[in-house]
Amino acid sequence: MRDLAIPTIEGPGDSEGADADEGGADATRAMPRIESAIPSEPGPESATVRHDRMPRTRVLMVAAAAAIALAGGMALWITHPWDPNLYITHSQTDADTSMAGYPGYLSALTGQDGSSSATDTSSDSSTDGSDSSSSTAYQAILDDYNKLGTYADQLDQSVSDLTSTGVSGTAAERQDGQSTAEQTAIDISNLIDDIASLNDGDGTYANDIANLTTLGNWLRNRSDAICEAWDSSVTMATEEKILAPLKKIGYSSGTDNYKTLFEENYDAWKPVEQ
């Protein structure tokens, strides 16, 4: 057999005795340090790293081409070179001025007798129509004015009946008095509505209508008090309770505040035809 010359690994030395023999085994098991052949990662301050982080030339060219294409497309969309009239809103058709200033066919001049007669006739017809309308408005106002006087007389009679049969009459008499007073109140209310709908003749009778409305309101306020008194009368209440509503409007000796106002202004506010 061939004898191989294999070196023997010894410890630190035989001079250390038994301790050297025990340390030799540990020394045999120790691994030598091996350096890596792969270079370590460069730091952030490295010039190579800064270069690697910059966009590539191809990326820059693609981005520039996309920006140019987008700008060009927007310009074409706004200007529409293939249809310049797309955004024009005014008329593109020339107006026909061939007949501009042409008065049309005239059968007679304005200053001739025939035209003057026609104008006068039209004016007279318009005036007659206006006069007729004004006369109708006045007549309607006058009719309502006369009705106000009639209803005022009915209220006077109702008060007279109230102070007699209303405080001492039979149940049937009191019922009749109440029915009459209520009907008068309804008539007055309807008359006020009619006055509000009158034609004032383009303002000619506006003041007269306002005066009639005031007269009507005075009658209605007086009528409300009279109806309230008759309502107490049919219950066979005492005279003091029956006449209490009239006392509220100043009733004394057959008259009251609203009656006085009405009589002081009724004749003065009679409408006059204009």
mmCIF file with all atom_site columns, all heavy atoms in Angstrom, residues 24-42:
data_model
loop_
_atom_site.group_PDB
_atom_site.id
_atom_site.type_symbol
_atom_site.label_atom_id
_atom_site.label_alt_id
_atom_site.label_comp_id
_atom_site.label_asym_id
_atom_site.label_entity_id
_atom_site.label_seq_id
_atom_site.pdbx_PDB_ins_code
_atom_site.Cartn_x
_atom_site.Cartn_y
_atom_site.Cartn_z
_atom_site.occupancy
_atom_site.B_iso_or_equiv
_atom_site.pdbx_formal_charge
_atom_site.auth_seq_id
_atom_site.auth_comp_id
_atom_site.auth_asym_id
_atom_site.auth_atom_id
_atom_site.pdbx_PDB_model_num
ATOM 1   N N   . GLY A 1 24 ? -6.459  21.358 20.917 1.00 0.00 ? 24 GLY A N   1
ATOM 2   C CA  . GLY A 1 24 ? -6.198  21.032 19.522 1.00 0.00 ? 24 GLY A CA  1
ATOM 3   C C   . GLY A 1 24 ? -7.438  20.629 18.804 1.00 0.00 ? 24 GLY A C   1
ATOM 4   O O   . GLY A 1 24 ? -7.627  20.904 17.629 1.00 0.00 ? 24 GLY A O   1
ATOM 5   N N   . ALA A 1 25 ? -8.317  19.938 19.440 1.00 0.00 ? 25 ALA A N   1
ATOM 6   C CA  . ALA A 1 25 ? -9.567  19.516 18.778 1.00 0.00 ? 25 ALA A CA  1
ATOM 7   C C   . ALA A 1 25 ? -10.444 20.706 18.448 1.00 0.00 ? 25 ALA A C   1
ATOM 8   O O   . ALA A 1 25 ? -11.062 20.774 17.395 1.00 0.00 ? 25 ALA A O   1
ATOM 9   C CB  . ALA A 1 25 ? -10.281 18.521 19.689 1.00 0.00 ? 25 ALA A CB  1
ATOM 10  N N   . ASP A 1 26 ? -10.499 21.673 19.366 1.00 0.00 ? 26 ASP A N   1
ATOM 11  C CA  . ASP A 1 26 ? -11.311 22.894 19.101 1.00 0.00 ? 26 ASP A CA  1
ATOM 12  C C   . ASP A 1 26 ? -10.743 23.676 17.958 1.00 0.00 ? 26 ASP A C   1
ATOM 13  O O   . ASP A 1 26 ? -11.459 24.222 17.132 1.00 0.00 ? 26 ASP A O   1
ATOM 14  C CB  . ASP A 1 26 ? -11.366 23.747 20.354 1.00 0.00 ? 26 ASP A CB  1
ATOM 15  C CG  . ASP A 1 26 ? -12.147 23.064 21.468 1.00 0.00 ? 26 ASP A CG  1
ATOM 16  O OD1 . ASP A 1 26 ? -12.970 22.170 21.115 1.00 0.00 ? 26 ASP A OD1 1
ATOM 17  O OD2 . ASP A 1 26 ? -11.977 23.448 22.641 1.00 0.00 ? 26 ASP A OD2 1
ATOM 18  N N   . ALA A 1 27 ? -9.441  23.712 17.868 1.00 0.00 ? 27 ALA A N   1
ATOM 19  C CA  . ALA A 1 27 ? -8.817  24.468 16.788 1.00 0.00 ? 27 ALA A CA  1
ATOM 20  C C   . ALA A 1 27 ? -9.091  23.834 15.453 1.00 0.00 ? 27 ALA A C   1
ATOM 21  O O   . ALA A 1 27 ? -9.192  24.494 14.433 1.00 0.00 ? 27 ALA A O   1
ATOM 22  C CB  . ALA A 1 27 ? -7.287  24.553 17.032 1.00 0.00 ? 27 ALA A CB  1
ATOM 23  N N   . THR A 1 28 ? -9.221  22.494 15.428 1.00 0.00 ? 28 THR A N   1
ATOM 24  C CA  . THR A 1 28 ? -9.494  21.818 14.166 1.00 0.00 ? 28 THR A CA  1
ATOM 25  C C   . THR A 1 28 ? -10.865 22.154 13.648 1.00 0.00 ? 28 THR A C   1
ATOM 26  O O   . THR A 1 28 ? -11.087 22.265 12.455 1.00 0.00 ? 28 THR A O   1
ATOM 27  C CB  . THR A 1 28 ? -9.353  20.308 14.366 1.00 0.00 ? 28 THR A CB  1
ATOM 28  O OG1 . THR A 1 28 ? -8.053  20.045 14.866 1.00 0.00 ? 28 THR A OG1 1
ATOM 29  C CG2 . THR A 1 28 ? -9.577  19.563 13.073 1.00 0.00 ? 28 THR A CG2 1
ATOM 30  N N   . ARG A 1 29 ? -11.851 22.353 14.579 1.00 0.00 ? 29 ARG A N   1
ATOM 31  C CA  . ARG A 1 29 ? -13.238 22.655 14.168 1.00 0.00 ? 29 ARG A CA  1
ATOM 32  C C   . ARG A 1 29 ? -13.461 24.118 13.789 1.00 0.00 ? 29 ARG A C   1
ATOM 33  O O   . ARG A 1 29 ? -14.523 24.466 13.293 1.00 0.00 ? 29 ARG A O   1
ATOM 34  C CB  . ARG A 1 29 ? -14.202 22.275 15.303 1.00 0.00 ? 29 ARG A CB  1
ATOM 35  C CG  . ARG A 1 29 ? -14.289 20.748 15.512 1.00 0.00 ? 29 ARG A CG  1
ATOM 36  C CD  . ARG A 1 29 ? -15.437 20.414 16.408 1.00 0.00 ? 29 ARG A CD  1
ATOM 37  N NE  . ARG A 1 29 ? -15.240 21.009 17.723 1.00 0.00 ? 29 ARG A NE  1
ATOM 38  C CZ  . ARG A 1 29 ? -14.640 20.357 18.743 1.00 0.00 ? 29 ARG A CZ  1
ATOM 39  N NH1 . ARG A 1 29 ? -14.146 19.129 18.559 1.00 0.00 ? 29 ARG A NH1 1
ATOM 40  N NH2 . ARG A 1 29 ? -14.532 20.926 19.937 1.00 0.00 ? 29 ARG A NH2 1
ATOM 41  N N   . ALA A 1 30 ? -12.605 25.054 13.928 1.00 0.00 ? 30 ALA A N   1
ATOM 42  C CA  . ALA A 1 30 ? -12.773 26.485 13.600 1.00 0.00 ? 30 ALA A CA  1
ATOM 43  C C   . ALA A 1 30 ? -12.797 26.663 12.089 1.00 0.00 ? 30 ALA A C   1
ATOM 44  O O   . ALA A 1 30 ? -11.965 26.087 11.390 1.00 0.00 ? 30 ALA A O   1
ATOM 45  C CB  . ALA A 1 30 ? -11.633 27.294 14.230 1.00 0.00 ? 30 ALA A CB  1
ATOM 46  N N   . MET A 1 31 ? -13.781 27.489 11.543 1.00 0.00 ? 31 MET A N   1
ATOM 47  C CA  . MET A 1 31 ? -13.953 27.742 10.108 1.00 0.00 ? 31 MET A CA  1
ATOM 48  C C   . MET A 1 31 ? -13.272 29.040 9.738  1.00 0.00 ? 31 MET A C   1
ATOM 49  O O   . MET A 1 31 ? -13.457 30.076 10.417 1.00 0.00 ? 31 MET A O   1
ATOM 50  C CB  . MET A 1 31 ? -15.436 27.823 9.743  1.00 0.00 ? 31 MET A CB  1
ATOM 51  C CG  . MET A 1 31 ? -16.206 26.538 9.986  1.00 0.00 ? 31 MET A CG  1
ATOM 52  S SD  . MET A 1 31 ? -15.658 25.227 8.903  1.00 0.00 ? 31 MET A SD  1
ATOM 53  C CE  . MET A 1 31 ? -16.149 25.895 7.342  1.00 0.00 ? 31 MET A CE  1
ATOM 54  N N   . PRO A 1 32 ? -12.538 29.002 8.667  1.00 0.00 ? 32 PRO A N   1
ATOM 55  C CA  . PRO A 1 32 ? -11.884 30.261 8.228  1.00 0.00 ? 32 PRO A CA  1
ATOM 56  C C   . PRO A 1 32 ? -12.922 31.220 7.613  1.00 0.00 ? 32 PRO A C   1
ATOM 57  O O   . PRO A 1 32 ? -13.943 30.809 7.089  1.00 0.00 ? 32 PRO A O   1
ATOM 58  C CB  . PRO A 1 32 ? -10.871 29.771 7.171  1.00 0.00 ? 32 PRO A CB  1
ATOM 59  C CG  . PRO A 1 32 ? -11.498 28.517 6.658  1.00 0.00 ? 32 PRO A CG  1
ATOM 60  C CD  . PRO A 1 32 ? -12.171 27.864 7.841  1.00 0.00 ? 32 PRO A CD  1
ATOM 61  N N   . ARG A 1 33 ? -12.774 32.569 7.667  1.00 0.00 ? 33 ARG A N   1
ATOM 62  C CA  . ARG A 1 33 ? -13.706 33.609 7.129  1.00 0.00 ? 33 ARG A CA  1
ATOM 63  C C   . ARG A 1 33 ? -13.514 33.692 5.631  1.00 0.00 ? 33 ARG A C   1
ATOM 64  O O   . ARG A 1 33 ? -12.394 33.828 5.162  1.00 0.00 ? 33 ARG A O   1
ATOM 65  C CB  . ARG A 1 33 ? -13.433 34.960 7.771  1.00 0.00 ? 33 ARG A CB  1
ATOM 66  C CG  . ARG A 1 33 ? -14.382 36.049 7.270  1.00 0.00 ? 33 ARG A CG  1
ATOM 67  C CD  . ARG A 1 33 ? -14.105 37.349 7.986  1.00 0.00 ? 33 ARG A CD  1
ATOM 68  N NE  . ARG A 1 33 ? -15.010 38.397 7.514  1.00 0.00 ? 33 ARG A NE  1
ATOM 69  C CZ  . ARG A 1 33 ? -14.954 39.636 7.978  1.00 0.00 ? 33 ARG A CZ  1
ATOM 70  N NH1 . ARG A 1 33 ? -14.058 39.976 8.913  1.00 0.00 ? 33 ARG A NH1 1
ATOM 71  N NH2 . ARG A 1 33 ? -15.803 40.530 7.499  1.00 0.00 ? 33 ARG A NH2 1
ATOM 72  N N   . ILE A 1 34 ? -14.659 33.591 4.889  1.00 0.00 ? 34 ILE A N   1
ATOM 73  C CA  . ILE A 1 34 ? -14.610 33.651 3.426  1.00 0.00 ? 34 ILE A CA  1
ATOM 74  C C   . ILE A 1 34 ? -15.250 34.955 2.951  1.00 0.00 ? 34 ILE A C   1
ATOM 75  O O   . ILE A 1 34 ? -16.395 35.267 3.293  1.00 0.00 ? 34 ILE A O   1
ATOM 76  C CB  . ILE A 1 34 ? -15.328 32.453 2.791  1.00 0.00 ? 34 ILE A CB  1
ATOM 77  C CG1 . ILE A 1 34 ? -14.696 31.146 3.279  1.00 0.00 ? 34 ILE A CG1 1
ATOM 78  C CG2 . ILE A 1 34 ? -15.339 32.541 1.278  1.00 0.00 ? 34 ILE A CG2 1
ATOM 79  C CD1 . ILE A 1 34 ? -15.421 29.910 2.827  1.00 0.00 ? 34 ILE A CD1 1
ATOM 80  N N   . GLU A 1 35 ? -14.578 35.764 2.182  1.00 0.00 ? 35 GLU A N   1
ATOM 81  C CA  . GLU A 1 35 ? -15.097 37.030 1.636  1.00 0.00 ? 35 GLU A CA  1
ATOM 82  C C   . GLU A 1 35 ? -15.918 36.743 0.386  1.00 0.00 ? 35 GLU A C   1
ATOM 83  O O   . GLU A 1 35 ? -15.519 35.952 -0.454 1.00 0.00 ? 35 GLU A O   1
ATOM 84  C CB  . GLU A 1 35 ? -13.926 37.962 1.289  1.00 0.00 ? 35 GLU A CB  1
ATOM 85  C CG  . GLU A 1 35 ? -13.115 38.434 2.475  1.00 0.00 ? 35 GLU A CG  1
ATOM 86  C CD  . GLU A 1 35 ? -13.881 39.373 3.338  1.00 0.00 ? 35 GLU A CD  1
ATOM 87  O OE1 . GLU A 1 35 ? -14.867 39.965 2.817  1.00 0.00 ? 35 GLU A OE1 1
ATOM 88  O OE2 . GLU A 1 35 ? -13.536 39.551 4.529  1.00 0.00 ? 35 GLU A OE2 1
ATOM 89  N N   . SER A 1 36 ? -17.163 37.467 0.273  1.00 0.00 ? 36 SER A N   1
ATOM 90  C CA  . SER A 1 36 ? -18.048 37.283 -0.886 1.00 0.00 ? 36 SER A CA  1
ATOM 91  C C   . SER A 1 36 ? -17.485 37.981 -2.103 1.00 0.00 ? 36 SER A C   1
ATOM 92  O O   . SER A 1 36 ? -16.940 39.093 -2.003 1.00 0.00 ? 36 SER A O   1
ATOM 93  C CB  . SER A 1 36 ? -19.442 37.829 -0.580 1.00 0.00 ? 36 SER A CB  1
ATOM 94  O OG  . SER A 1 36 ? -20.250 37.759 -1.725 1.00 0.00 ? 36 SER A OG  1
ATOM 95  N N   . ALA A 1 37 ? -17.646 37.343 -3.239 1.00 0.00 ? 37 ALA A N   1
ATOM 96  C CA  . ALA A 1 37 ? -17.200 37.952 -4.497 1.00 0.00 ? 37 ALA A CA  1
ATOM 97  C C   . ALA A 1 37 ? -18.241 38.897 -5.094 1.00 0.00 ? 37 ALA A C   1
ATOM 98  O O   . ALA A 1 37 ? -17.969 39.597 -6.058 1.00 0.00 ? 37 ALA A O   1
ATOM 99  C CB  . ALA A 1 37 ? -16.884 36.832 -5.498 1.00 0.00 ? 37 ALA A CB  1
ATOM 100 N N   . ILE A 1 38 ? -19.526 38.926 -4.537 1.00 0.00 ? 38 ILE A N   1
ATOM 101 C CA  . ILE A 1 38 ? -20.596 39.828 -5.049 1.00 0.00 ? 38 ILE A CA  1
ATOM 102 C C   . ILE A 1 38 ? -20.452 41.171 -4.378 1.00 0.00 ? 38 ILE A C   1
ATOM 103 O O   . ILE A 1 38 ? -20.439 41.250 -3.134 1.00 0.00 ? 38 ILE A O   1
ATOM 104 C CB  . ILE A 1 38 ? -21.970 39.235 -4.774 1.00 0.00 ? 38 ILE A CB  1
ATOM 105 C CG1 . ILE A 1 38 ? -22.094 37.857 -5.437 1.00 0.00 ? 38 ILE A CG1 1
ATOM 106 C CG2 . ILE A 1 38 ? -23.067 40.147 -5.264 1.00 0.00 ? 38 ILE A CG2 1
ATOM 107 C CD1 . ILE A 1 38 ? -23.378 37.143 -5.088 1.00 0.00 ? 38 ILE A CD1 1
ATOM 108 N N   . PRO A 1 39 ? -20.328 42.223 -5.131 1.00 0.00 ? 39 PRO A N   1
ATOM 109 C CA  . PRO A 1 39 ? -20.150 43.560 -4.516 1.00 0.00 ? 39 PRO A CA  1
ATOM 110 C C   . PRO A 1 39 ? -21.403 43.936 -3.726 1.00 0.00 ? 39 PRO A C   1
ATOM 111 O O   . PRO A 1 39 ? -22.512 43.545 -4.042 1.00 0.00 ? 39 PRO A O   1
ATOM 112 C CB  . PRO A 1 39 ? -19.930 44.476 -5.720 1.00 0.00 ? 39 PRO A CB  1
ATOM 113 C CG  . PRO A 1 39 ? -20.571 43.763 -6.863 1.00 0.00 ? 39 PRO A CG  1
ATOM 114 C CD  . PRO A 1 39 ? -20.378 42.290 -6.599 1.00 0.00 ? 39 PRO A CD  1
ATOM 115 N N   . SER A 1 40 ? -21.245 44.713 -2.691 1.00 0.00 ? 40 SER A N   1
ATOM 116 C CA  . SER A 1 40 ? -22.377 45.183 -1.852 1.00 0.00 ? 40 SER A CA  1
ATOM 117 C C   . SER A 1 40 ? -23.212 46.227 -2.604 1.00 0.00 ? 40 SER A C   1
ATOM 118 O O   . SER A 1 40 ? -22.755 46.832 -3.569 1.00 0.00 ? 40 SER A O   1
ATOM 119 C CB  . SER A 1 40 ? -21.829 45.771 -0.544 1.00 0.00 ? 40 SER A CB  1
ATOM 120 O OG  . SER A 1 40 ? -20.973 46.871 -0.824 1.00 0.00 ? 40 SER A OG  1
ATOM 121 N N   . GLU A 1 41 ? -24.460 46.439 -2.123 1.00 0.00 ? 41 GLU A N   1
ATOM 122 C CA  . GLU A 1 41 ? -25.385 47.400 -2.779 1.00 0.00 ? 41 GLU A CA  1
ATOM 123 C C   . GLU A 1 41 ? -24.871 48.817 -2.568 1.00 0.00 ? 41 GLU A C   1
ATOM 124 O O   . GLU A 1 41 ? -24.528 49.203 -1.444 1.00 0.00 ? 41 GLU A O   1
ATOM 125 C CB  . GLU A 1 41 ? -26.781 47.266 -2.181 1.00 0.00 ? 41 GLU A CB  1
ATOM 126 C CG  . GLU A 1 41 ? -27.794 48.175 -2.856 1.00 0.00 ? 41 GLU A CG  1
ATOM 127 C CD  . GLU A 1 41 ? -29.172 48.016 -2.250 1.00 0.00 ? 41 GLU A CD  1
ATOM 128 O OE1 . GLU A 1 41 ? -29.312 47.161 -1.345 1.00 0.00 ? 41 GLU A OE1 1
ATOM 129 O OE2 . GLU A 1 41 ? -30.092 48.726 -2.662 1.00 0.00 ? 41 GLU A OE2 1
ATOM 130 N N   . PRO A 1 42 ? -24.843 49.602 -3.630 1.00 0.00 ? 42 PRO A N   1
ATOM 131 C CA  . PRO A 1 42 ? -24.326 50.974 -3.488 1.00 0.00 ? 42 PRO A CA  1
ATOM 132 C C   . PRO A 1 42 ? -25.278 51.837 -2.653 1.00 0.00 ? 42 PRO A C   1
ATOM 133 O O   . PRO A 1 42 ? -26.471 51.598 -2.596 1.00 0.00 ? 42 PRO A O   1
ATOM 134 C CB  . PRO A 1 42 ? -24.233 51.471 -4.932 1.00 0.00 ? 42 PRO A CB  1
ATOM 135 C CG  . PRO A 1 42 ? -25.214 50.642 -5.672 1.00 0.00 ? 42 PRO A CG  1
ATOM 136 C CD  . PRO A 1 42 ? -25.216 49.305 -5.002 1.00 0.00 ? 42 PRO A CD  1
#
